[in-house]
Amino acid sequence: MVLSGVIRRDLRWLLLALNALPATAAGLLLPTALASAVDMALAGRLDAGTVWWLVGLAGVEVLGDAIGVVLAAAITARGAAWLRHRLTAHLLALGHPARFEAGDAVSRLTGDSAIAGGVAVLAVNLGISVVTAAGAITALALLDWRLAVVFLLSVPLAALLVRSHLRLTAADVATYQEVSGELSARLVDAVGGLRTIAASGRADQEAERVLRPLPRLTAAGVGMWRTQARMIWRAGLLLPLVELAVLTAAGFGVVAGRLSVGDVLATLGYVALGMTVVGQTALLTALQRARASGRRLQEVLETPLPRSEPPASTTTGEIVLTGVTVPDALHDVDLTVAAGTFVAVVGRSGSGKSALASVIGGLTRPSSGDVRRGGSVGYAFERPALVGTTVADAVRYGTEPHRTDVEAACRAAQVHDVVVRLPQGYDTPMAAAPMSGGEAQRLGLARAFVRDPAILVLDDATASLDMVTESTVERAVESALPGRTRVVVTHRAATARRADVVVWLDDGRVRAVGPHSDLWHDDDYRAVFG
Amino acid sequence: MTYLRALRDQRRGIVVLLGWSVLEGVPALLSGRLVGLAVDRGFAAGRPWVGVGWLLVFAAVAVLGGFGLRQVFRRLGAVVEPLRDALVRQVVRGVLHAGSQTRQPDASAVARITRHVEVVRDATAGVLVQARALLVTTAAALIGLAATVSSLAWLVTLPVVAALVLFGLLLPSLARGQRRLVMADEQAASVAGTVFLGVRDVTAVDGAEHALRDVMTQVDRQASATVRLAFATALRGIVIALGGFVPLVLLLLMAPGMVRAGTLTVGEVLGAVVYLSTSVQPALRRLADTTSTIVLRLVVALRRLAEAAPPIDPPTGDAVPEGFEVELDHVTFGWSPTAEPVVRSLDLVLPEGSHLAVVGPSGIGKSTLAGLITGLVEPQAGHVRFGHVPIRSVAPELRHQRIALVPQETYLFTGTIRENLALLAPTASDTALLAAAAAVGATDLITRLGGLSATLGHSAAGLSAGEAQLLSAARVYASTADVVILDEATSALDPAAEALVEQAFATRNGTLIVIAHRLSSALRADQVLVMDGGPPLLGNHQDLLTTSPLYRDLMAAWHEPHNGTATQPPRQPALTAPTSDPEQHR
């Protein structure tokens, strides 16, 4: 369980509890100290000891609270950070294709982790409330056992109240979180189509479409407030009734001479302290939320990791596929690529080209069949996601090459000239370097080149480049990374023509393998290129 | 500002809510006095039933207060939820109206905006519950106190005021800390968002460790900002606690002499202590613990929201175009006055029914041309006319209806395929939609997906980029637009599918502008515009082969395999270096 993990891992909540002890004790002693001070004042005496005792207790409480604030923040921050670490590591290990949408994953990382990370502090605070209540009842009993008896009659009522609250909010809280997520996902979709929306002048209509689930969110939100109102109202009824009962008992104590006037004040203080445990609605709601968040984190962490053994090895630069099947993409593909060959993979849309690249690149495990690959892979995509803080970081991502190697890779990818014109060159933050599709593609190529791989897999990775730039990149690769095996998914006849051999895929099967010039005689083959 | 406006829209609810809170203040006003009376006149005087009577009044007053609080909470939903709705609405509209010109928010930005809205919701509720209760309680208690022990009123107020002033001095540093924390939160979300969106690439380049390191750097920064803020919060707590406690001690120091002198009764002292310890002190403590944090969070979140969703500037215009001829007259456009223009002195006339292809190297500004023709982008110099009137003065709804742009990145949303296809033609019949789908070759796709009533998931899940582009093409085909601009709209299709889409649009009545992804598009067009950063060249295919060296090079590189590969040496493509390096003209 995620939440118990948070509590077990960082035991500093013990320190928080330890710090809370004197502060809570001082808080419990304060009403009696105040009572004797008031009795002293009413008697017309000024007793330094009594006043100092009161001041000292207050000092301990105030200081303890201050230390508690810092400790609680530190514990929550550490707990959240630990959860974020686990969550990020697991999401990354789950790899591609992502099981959780990016926006959803981020909200689990930022929102749920923070809430669940605070569970230890929440538990301690709840514990302090309980100890305070128990201490207050003991103090009442010490003043006059009748006071404690009267007070305790209210405890079952309080328990009832707390239980009904827990039952009522869970559904609304869950609905609220779910609809929030749905709204975000809709907005992300619309943002992806901003150009279409702008050009068709449909911003308002599309905003309405995104906002369609809003009434459900509102309903859940209103439900949450209503539950709180019921809770508060019941607590609001309970407290004055208990106060009335206990104060009446105390009044008779005064008449009978068992209690002083100051003791009445102390009684009032202890009733208030004893009732704090009931007044902790916020803590209970927070605990409820922490449990919901814990479940959302659990959902990620319990998603089993895919088998992650890399493809078996073979001669450097060689690729051997035997009977490889990927559901809905590849059927029983046998393919051997000799080291140093330039292979073009062609076929109509949806014929399994990307799946083949993905299997060779190690992104997809075939459901059956065997993949052998000699050496490391440099993998580039049609639409690369450039991850990293700066441009240089995005290119070297996951490796530690020298800066000159990064520059050389960018030169080969024909993107060096673009980078050096950016405000801070290679150190420009990615956020400040908006890229066109073609520029991003070339940085993606540079990222594949800089690894100095034995095999290059380019999945339509030059589709946004015009053909002049594309062929320049190709020649640059030949001189910068000579003799590497290249698997190039392409739609272009010119690229296929330059390849040593073409793998022609049709409906997930290898239709033919051979040089472009041989295949070109086939009408079906020519139709692939339009 | 939206927040204040939305708050104003809820003013009725707020007034009702505040009205109820007067009721809530009654116990604070009377509690000390009533307890004092119960002891003074009742228990201490040996008349317990009189004491009980006063205590019953005390209880009744408290029940009244509780009822007031209940009404406050019930009404909170009616105020806060519509407010949250208004903010969500504003943010969504703001983001969608921002168009394509600004940097587009990504998934993490959306998550961030959602969180700001939630903070505003919670914090507004918090302010309404706590700050209001704080004011009501403190004011009521101080009034009650002053009425009880008027001679000592200054003793009580002075320390409270001093603490509040000191607290005010601490506020700026608190606000800075709060903002630092929020920024750290956002940075962490942004870095994590990039990583999660790019999980394919992270996996492909074996960068999981790197990604984890990057995310954790931000997470640790976030954690340390949290702790730093906690120190400031603790200091604030001490100051406020002193402000609440010092009056009590002063009262107890002054009281013995006054009781001896007979200027204070037992009940008055008791009442004063009750006011201070059960009303003023808890109220101040709440100010320190939560209220100020809530206010700080509210302020920071509102500021960030305003940055995320700038005010909308709706387009205006009421001109009605005659026909749909497109004319560009000496049009120049650059992204800034100092930058090299993307389009320079472009003259172009497209009579009704033309078919134009735009070719040129990547990143040269072909999409900008689409923006100019659709009126989304305003030229720095020259004129763009549509149907003989300036495009930006055409009534917006007419402009959007008659010019359709299909960009490379598709827009598909959660809903049925029917809804998605009918986006630009809401009244189109199923037959018309299916005919449009058939024209662009999307029939098989739609059948496979389960027909028009099948639903699409988020992010067009389950569709390849090419399939998404096919659906987008069918959508525009079904529209009533006279001018269709395909801006690399078929980039993810194979050439055969692309040809089918382009031919479908060419035979559809109207003007077609294809911003070409492949050169085959140029062969199908009547006119070709070559953009290479220099002066744009316009002509038909044959003319351009002689007038444009770039065009010749592009065509030579592409055409080769069609001209019998056997005669060409395989590793020496007939590519001369282009006369103009595309990079020079960025």
Side-chain angles (χ1 to χ4, degrees), chain A residues 44 84 176 189 191 195 204 206 208 218 225-226 349 383 385 397-398 439 442 447 463 471 500 529, chain B residues 74 81 84-85 93 97 105 118 200-201 210-211 222 260 411 459 487 494-495 517 571 575 583 586:
Chain A
R84 285 169 176 157
Y176 195 87
D189 281 352
V191 161
R195 271 192 88 201
D204 286 337
E206 295 316 295
E208 283 313 310
T218 314
W225 292 118
R226 280 184 187 275
S349 306
R383 293 195 184 190
Y397 208 78
E439 288 158 356
R442 281 175 277 170
R447 185 174 66 186
S471 66
D500 300 324
F529 302 98
Chain B
R74 281 181 71 88
E81 298 301 322
R84 202 264 344 277
D85 286 359
R93 281 169 49 85
H97 269 284
E118 284 308 304
R200 177 199 65 183
D201 293 44
H210 192 141
Q222 197 178 14
R260 261 204 314 273
Y411 170 48
S459 346
D487 184 0
D494 59 62
H517 183 70
R571 280 299 168 91
L575 264 179
E583 298 308 331
R586 297 190 69 259

Side-chain angles (χ1 to χ4, degrees), chain B residues 153-519:
Chain B
W154 60 271
L155 254 187
V156 178
T157 23
L158 220 58
V160 174
V161 170
L164 288 176
V165 168
L166 209 58
F167 173 68
L169 292 177
L170 285 174
L171 267 182
S173 85
L174 279 168
R176 269 198 305 279
Q178 181 72 28
R179 189 169 162 84
R180 202 161 37 229
L181 178 59
V182 169
M183 300 299 257
D185 275 348
E186 293 186 0
Q187 190 61 27
S190 155
V191 168
T194 318
V195 164
F196 293 152
L197 269 179
V199 88
R200 177 199 65 183
D201 293 44
V202 171
T203 312
V205 303
D206 209 6
E209 263 174 53
H210 192 141
L212 188 60
R213 199 168 60 231
D214 280 358
V215 173
M216 286 317 289
T217 307
Q218 298 304 329
V219 167
D220 290 342
R221 198 168 290 168
Q222 197 178 14
S224 79
T226 310
V227 176
R228 277 173 73 185
L229 183 63
F231 275 105
T233 311
L235 185 62
R236 169 183 74 178
I238 292 177
V239 167
I240 288 293
L242 287 181
F245 191 69
V246 168
L248 197 62
V249 175
L250 288 180
L251 180 76
L252 288 173
L253 287 176
M254 298 296 291
M258 296 176 74
V259 169
R260 261 204 314 273
T263 41
L264 275 183
T265 68
V266 172
E268 281 169 347
V269 173
L270 198 57
V273 174
V274 169
Y275 276 127
L276 277 175
S277 61
T278 63
S279 294
V280 176
Q281 260 187 359
L284 284 177
R285 178 169 290 203
R286 275 206 300 276
L287 170 70
D289 285 351
T290 44
T291 312
S292 56
T293 308
I294 291 171
V295 173
L296 286 176
R297 277 163 60 93
L298 182 62
V299 168
V300 173
L302 282 175
R303 190 167 148 194
R304 299 297 291 157
L305 267 186
E307 287 164 5
I312 299 163
D313 184 16
T316 50
D318 52 7
V320 179
E322 277 173 53
F324 51 92
E325 185 184 272
V326 174
E327 185 190 355
L328 277 75
D329 177 13
H330 274 84
V331 168
T332 298
F333 178 85
W335 287 112
S336 80
T338 49
E340 183 75 10
V342 180
V343 175
R344 197 202 310 259
S345 294
L346 176 61
D347 286 314
L348 176 68
V349 179
L350 296 173
E352 298 181 9
S354 326
H355 181 173
L356 172 79
V358 185
V359 299
S362 17
I364 208 69
K366 289 174 289 180
S367 292
T368 308
L369 182 67
L372 286 165
I373 295 175
T374 50
L376 289 176
V377 174
E378 191 170 13
Q380 279 167 344
H383 304 282
V384 181
R385 294 192 196 91
F386 175 68
H388 309 289
V389 280
I391 178 73
R392 283 175 74 85
S393 69
V394 174
E397 63 279 8
L398 272 180
R399 178 159 56 111
H400 297 313
Q401 197 186 333
R402 300 186 54 186
I403 308 178
L405 170 70
V406 195
Q408 188 171 15
E409 61 281 7
T410 52
Y411 170 48
L412 294 174
F413 48 83
T414 315
T416 59
I417 292 182
R418 181 180 294 106
E419 285 177 278
N420 272 284
L421 290 189
L423 182 78
L424 304 177
T427 55
S429 65
D430 280 8
T431 326
L433 294 180
L434 286 173
V440 299
T443 305
D444 288 352
L445 172 63
I446 290 174
T447 312
R448 180 167 70 73
L449 293 173
L452 287 179
S453 301
T455 20
L456 294 179
H458 286 301
S459 346
L463 293 183
S464 72
E467 290 166 338
Q469 286 187 342
L470 264 189
L471 291 182
S472 298
R475 165 195 290 166
V476 172
Y477 192 93
S479 78
T480 53
D482 299 316
V483 176
V484 171
I485 306 172
L486 304 179
D487 184 0
E488 305 208 13
T490 48
S491 60
L493 296 177
D494 59 62
E498 177 181 69
L500 185 63
V501 170
E502 277 183 26
Q503 274 152 16
F505 278 103
T507 49
R508 180 182 177 274
N509 290 327
T511 299
L512 175 64
I513 302 168
V514 180
I515 292 176
H517 183 70
R518 296 193 186 84
L519 286 163

Side-chain angles (χ1 to χ4, degrees), chain B residues 56-79:
Chain B
L56 280 175
V57 176
F58 164 84
V61 162
V63 169
L64 210 64
F67 183 71
L69 188 59
R70 180 193 183 192
Q71 297 303 338
V72 165
F73 262 87
R74 281 181 71 88
R75 263 138 198 91
L76 215 49
V79 171

Side-chain angles (χ1 to χ4, degrees), chain A residues 164-394:
Chain A
S164 70
H165 175 74
L166 283 178
R167 248 199 334 269
L168 281 166
T169 32
D172 278 334
V173 171
T175 311
Y176 195 87
Q177 282 171 354
E178 180 216 314
V179 181
S180 269
E182 167 75 15
L183 265 174
S184 299
R186 281 169 173 258
L187 184 55
V188 170
D189 281 352
V191 161
L194 266 184
R195 271 192 88 201
T196 303
I197 293 172
S200 58
R202 290 188 56 89
D204 286 337
Q205 292 93 320
E206 295 316 295
E208 283 313 310
R209 192 192 303 285
V210 169
L211 292 170
R212 239 175 244 170
L214 196 58
R216 278 176 63 214
L217 190 70
T218 314
V222 170
M224 281 159 75
W225 292 118
R226 280 184 187 275
T227 313
Q228 284 221 33
R230 267 200 294 278
M231 175 76 187
I232 297 265
W233 165 238
R234 290 200 221 172
L237 278 184
L238 195 69
L239 184 63
L241 288 180
V242 173
E243 277 180 342
L244 172 70
V246 180
L247 276 181
T248 307
F252 280 100
V254 172
V255 174
R258 284 193 301 271
L259 297 173
S260 70
V261 172
D263 287 339
V264 175
L265 204 63
T267 303
L268 201 58
Y270 286 123
V271 169
L273 281 179
M275 295 302 287
T276 45
V277 73
V278 182
Q280 298 293 337
T281 49
L283 271 185
L284 288 173
T285 314
L287 209 58
Q288 197 59 238
R289 270 202 198 188
R291 278 168 60 185
S293 292
R295 274 193 298 274
R296 274 167 62 74
L297 297 179
Q298 188 86 1
E299 197 187 332
V300 175
L301 296 176
E302 276 179 353
T303 308
L305 293 178
R307 292 177 298 124
S308 64
E309 73 273 24
S313 189
T314 174
T315 325
T316 303
E318 191 185 44
I319 303 163
V320 184
L321 307 186
T322 328
V324 166
T325 296
V326 173
D328 295 328
L330 294 177
H331 307 287
D332 199 17
V333 170
D334 292 324
L335 184 68
T336 303
V337 177
T341 327
F342 173 7
V343 182
V345 181
V346 305
R348 288 175 167 278
S349 306
S351 58
K353 302 187 293 291
S354 287
L356 184 68
S358 181
V359 163
I360 295 171
L363 263 189
T364 306
R365 319 257 142 231
S367 60
S368 65
D370 180 46
V371 182
R372 293 176 168 276
R373 190 182 77 194
S376 60
V377 152
Y379 198 160
F381 301 94
E382 182 189 359
R383 293 195 184 190
L386 296 169
V387 198
T389 43
T390 62
V391 174
D393 194 40

Side-chain angles (χ1 to χ4, degrees), chain A residues 6-7 10-17 67-82 114 116-122 124, chain B residues 226-227:
Chain A
V6 172
I7 294 171
D10 181 6
L11 294 178
R12 277 185 308 168
W13 58 268
L14 284 172
L15 213 59
L16 182 69
I67 294 171
V69 165
V70 174
L71 263 179
I75 294 167
T76 305
R78 168 107 60 102
W82 178 69
V119 72
V121 172
L122 275 179
V124 169
Chain B
T226 310
V227 176

Side-chain angles (χ1 to χ4, degrees), chain A residues 105-137:
Chain A
V106 170
S107 96
R108 287 175 208 247
L109 183 84
T110 52
D112 293 315
S113 299
I115 295 171
V119 72
V121 172
L122 275 179
V124 169
N125 285 344
L126 215 56
I128 293 173
S129 300
V130 172
V131 169
T132 305
I137 294 164

